[in-house]
Amino acid sequence: MRIGVNLLVRNMADNPLHLAATRFAVRSLLESDLLSHDWRLMILDNGSGCPATSIYYDWMSVELGSRLGIARFKENLGIARGRNYCNKILQAGGGWIPDYIVEMHTDHVFPKIWLAPIIEYMETLPDCGIMGPALLSPNVHWCVNQIKIDYNQPYKEQINFLQSCVAFASHDVFRIMPGLTHPAVKRWKMVEELGGYDEDLPGLTNYEDTEEAYRAHKAGWKILINFGSVVYHHYHFSRCDPGVTNHLSDYEVNGRYCYAKHGEEFRDFERELGEWMDAAYGKVEA
């Protein structure tokens, strides 16, 4: 399979853990079963203020060669514009068009095997447009187990800790439930059909994924969680840091935009999505 990976980065100088998390995310991705596919990685730097990030990009360019693309912007494009830009570059020129897109964040850490269960299932279900793994996280209630990766500790120590937690958490191998998680694996055909994220969202983050999922749902695509795959997502790792984004304000303005654009049907879908997630993670009866 041709897999295009889409990563947005905004590492700030006043939080050294941003770069440490980015290193964990990329290294774990490149040690995972992604490598069994024909893959490309597109990074969009959303105005990082950490000088060491540029040195890291230089190292990656040497190590990954033509499989890596990097675009650097002085401004923060936000998630919707940034993701769409990455996806356009991933399939531009050379005849290489992805079968699937993986959208990842800098606060993901991947175990050795996570992609195979998702791709294998999506290949059997042509109308599945979006599938994500179950999550391990310290910060959200929609997770199979609450753990915390310590970015100040050696990578190998932490990745071994993650592997042990994944082995314990991924016992529900055959459980597939409706729901939306990140990292998200998206069928390229669906992304093209929908036109990507809505770039008219006024805030930099929040609701872009729910709004796209709503349009996917209306178009007949399935949105699922595969509990045979488990990934760590720290969640809100940098959203509330100074200079990154005004998380709460973005949430409010983007929510109002979506309600005005789609009306009560969007509110109903948002409520239904929350119920899916509660059911998937056992918070209420399915």
Side-chain angles (χ1 to χ4, degrees), residues 143-255:
C143 63
V144 291
N145 198 11
Q146 290 192 320
I147 70 166
K148 186 173 183 178
I149 295 293
D150 188 344
Y151 298 111
N152 287 312
Q153 297 302 314
Y155 169 82
K156 287 188 176 180
E157 173 188 301
Q158 294 299 296
I159 202 70
N160 288 339
F161 167 61
L162 175 63
Q163 287 290 152
S164 66
C165 294
V166 165
F168 177 78
S170 61
H171 60 280
D172 286 324
V173 174
F174 300 108
R175 188 150 68 100
I176 307 292
M177 300 285 288
L180 181 65
T181 60
H182 282 84
V185 180
K186 297 182 177 180
R187 193 179 301 274
W188 180 251
K189 181 180 177 181
M190 184 206 73
V191 174
E192 281 196 308
E193 179 184 308
L194 299 178
Y197 288 118
D198 183 348
E199 296 188 13
D200 289 331
L201 286 158
L204 295 175
T205 183
N206 283 308
Y207 273 100
E208 73 288 328
D209 53 349
T210 306
E211 195 277 336
E212 184 192 51
Y214 169 77
R215 289 185 284 120
H217 182 63
K218 291 284 286 183
W221 293 99
K222 287 183 170 64
I223 305 159
L224 302 171
I225 302 172
N226 186 329
F227 278 76
S229 172
V230 182
V231 170
Y232 178 80
H233 187 180
H234 192 94
Y235 202 73
H236 284 187
F237 183 70
S238 60
R239 284 185 178 182
C240 298
D241 283 1
V244 177
T245 180
N246 188 336
H247 165 57
L248 296 178
S249 175
D250 286 347
Y251 188 89
E252 182 179 348
V253 298
N254 282 355

Side-chain angles (χ1 to χ4, degrees), residues 40 52 63 82 84 99 105 204 237 247 261 269 278-279:
R40 304 286 188 275
E63 290 293 311
N84 286 349
D99 299 301
H105 298 299
L204 295 175
F237 183 70
H247 165 57
K261 178 181 177 181
F269 174 76
D278 283 337

